[in-house]
Amino acid sequence: MNFRLLTTTLLATLGLNAAQAALTWTEDFTAAKETAAKEKKDLLMDFTGSDWCSWCIKLRSEVFEKAEFEAAAPKSFVLVELDYPQSKAQDEKIKAQNKTLQETFAIEGFPTVILADATGRAYAKTGYAPGGPEAYLKSLDELRATREKRDAAFSKAEKAEGIEKAKAIDEGLKAMDSEIVDAHYDKEVEMIISLDKEDTLGRKKGQEMAKASKELETKLQELHGAKDFDGFGKTIDDFVAKWKLEGEEKQRVLMNKFAVFGPDKLDQADALADEIIKVDATTTIGKQAAGIKGQIVSMRKKAAEPEPAEPVEKKPTKAEK
């Protein structure tokens, strides 16, 4: 019997081909970029801890190893695994490459999935998400659309001048998450600032605030280490007032205050959650604050419960002796 022919026929029946069934993830970032450029695809980079990170393992088993993902993802992406194992042996060259890429893409947690164009320039970031391969592939399509919006806007910018050029570049940056822009699009931001002398697009102010935010983070770490919790809260309030923060930006900064609220400060934590929710209950942070309020209710309920009485040792009666 021709097993190879049988296998090929079976794969065709399942809607897969042999190449898709034998799907592999490359570890070589340079080779992946070359392939992506040649095949006109993007890069999907999975920063993972394959032998210790439980969420990384879930992402692989629930999504990446499923037939639906193996059939669809390679049509748009070259798949790159960037592994940071604790026990598994790893080639020193790959280990050095991955260390550099972790710094380049500012990876702080695992799993982190970076989507990038064929040059390796990031345009979106995601991670584990429930729902299996179908939901994950839909999300990837939506994220990939941000790159198309970016490219269309940047192409328009090439044909424009002055403030119109700045507006087109800004349009491209707005298609992406601000975290991605801050990490990988300094050149474009600087060009907008140079063209937009009046800062009508707010990029200069945003750049200054980003710098101030880093300084705030350092200051808060110092105050927390010194256990100056009053100064911690005041520093946050002063920052919000100085920069006239509103919306999600204000919520994001206020969330830092929870770092100094222990079980003995439930009233203050509850009031802070209310303040954040009042700004906007529909944002991700607003919903997180609502969840914290639920936790506070549970903590108060538990604290109000009477402690179980100490067991009393029963002395044996004469009959039991």
Side-chain angles (χ1 to χ4, degrees), residues 237-251:
D237 290 337
D238 289 346
F239 186 87
V240 170
K242 177 181 177 181
W243 290 96
K244 300 178 181 177
L245 299 185
E246 296 179 355
E248 200 163 1
E249 282 187 342
K250 181 177 181 179
Q251 290 177 313

Side-chain angles (χ1 to χ4, degrees), residues 188-237:
E188 283 75 14
V189 171
E190 290 294 346
M191 183 170 290
I192 291 171
I193 292 172
S194 69
L195 294 169
D196 182 17
K197 304 298 183 184
E198 302 298 321
D199 197 31
T200 58
L201 299 171
R203 286 290 172 181
K204 183 176 181 180
K205 179 184 177 182
Q207 191 180 62
E208 291 171 349
M209 196 177 83
K211 180 181 177 182
S213 294
K214 290 181 180 179
E215 293 172 352
L216 173 67
E217 184 178 347
T218 300
K219 181 65 175 177
L220 292 179
Q221 288 174 351
E222 293 173 355
L223 292 168
H224 195 278
K227 296 185 178 180
D228 183 358
F229 300 144
D230 290 338
F232 190 98
K234 184 177 184 305
T235 299
I236 290 172
D237 290 337

Side-chain angles (χ1 to χ4, degrees), residues 40-43 75-77 115 123-124 138-150:
K40 299 187 184 326
K41 295 178 181 178
D42 289 350
L43 300 169
K75 294 176 182 178
S76 301
F77 298 100
L115 304 185
Y123 61 80
K138 181 180 179 182
S139 175
L140 291 179
D141 285 341
E142 292 170 354
L143 292 174
R144 195 162 182 260
T146 66
R147 198 262 300 150
E148 295 171 355
K149 291 177 183 177
R150 179 202 72 177

Side-chain angles (χ1 to χ4, degrees), residues 5-229:
L5 178 60
L6 178 62
T7 302
T8 303
T9 303
L10 177 61
L11 291 171
T13 303
L14 294 172
L16 303 173
N17 59 40
Q20 289 171 326
L23 176 70
T24 57
W25 291 64
T26 182
E27 294 181 313
D28 188 330
F29 182 60
T30 300
K33 288 192 293 181
E34 292 172 356
T35 300
K38 181 180 178 181
E39 299 181 1
K40 299 187 184 326
K41 295 178 181 178
D42 289 350
L43 300 169
L44 186 154
M45 296 178 278
D46 177 31
F47 289 82
T48 182
S50 65
D51 63 356
W52 60 271
C53 169
S54 60
W55 291 106
C56 302
I57 295 167
K58 279 174 68 69
L59 178 57
R60 181 159 285 277
S61 65
E62 293 179 12
V63 177
F64 295 157
E65 292 179 349
K66 296 298 184 183
E68 298 94 324
F69 184 88
E70 292 182 344
K75 294 176 182 178
S76 301
F77 298 100
V78 175
L79 308 179
V80 190
E81 182 183 73
L82 302 165
D83 197 8
Y84 302 81
Q86 291 184 348
S87 303
K88 188 174 77 175
Q90 190 175 43
D91 182 86
E92 289 300 320
K93 184 178 179 181
I94 294 298
K95 189 182 293 186
Q97 168 202 261
N98 292 1
K99 183 177 184 297
T100 298
L101 291 174
Q102 183 177 12
E103 295 169 355
T104 299
F105 292 98
I107 304 301
E108 297 180 348
F110 302 94
T112 295
V113 175
I114 295 289
L115 304 185
D117 58 30
T119 69
R121 198 173 201 196
Y123 61 80
K125 179 179 179 180
T126 184
Y128 172 82
E134 185 177 347
Y136 208 87
L137 287 166
K138 181 180 179 182
S139 175
L140 291 179
D141 285 341
E142 292 170 354
L143 292 174
R144 195 162 182 260
T146 66
R147 198 262 300 150
E148 295 171 355
K149 291 177 183 177
R150 179 202 72 177
D151 291 352
F154 285 2
S155 179
K156 185 167 70 172
E158 290 177 2
K159 303 169 187 175
E161 295 181 359
I163 189 64
E164 294 306 315
K165 186 181 188 72
K167 287 178 179 178
I169 297 171
D170 191 61
E171 181 185 340
L173 297 184
K174 284 181 176 177
M176 298 175 286
D177 186 271
S178 60
E179 184 179 349
I180 291 290
V181 173
D182 291 343
H184 302 286
Y185 291 83
D186 287 348
K187 198 163 83 173
E188 283 75 14
V189 171
E190 290 294 346
M191 183 170 290
I192 291 171
I193 292 172
S194 69
L195 294 169
D196 182 17
K197 304 298 183 184
E198 302 298 321
D199 197 31
T200 58
L201 299 171
R203 286 290 172 181
K204 183 176 181 180
K205 179 184 177 182
Q207 191 180 62
E208 291 171 349
M209 196 177 83
K211 180 181 177 182
S213 294
K214 290 181 180 179
E215 293 172 352
L216 173 67
E217 184 178 347
T218 300
K219 181 65 175 177
L220 292 179
Q221 288 174 351
E222 293 173 355
L223 292 168
H224 195 278
K227 296 185 178 180
D228 183 358
F229 300 144

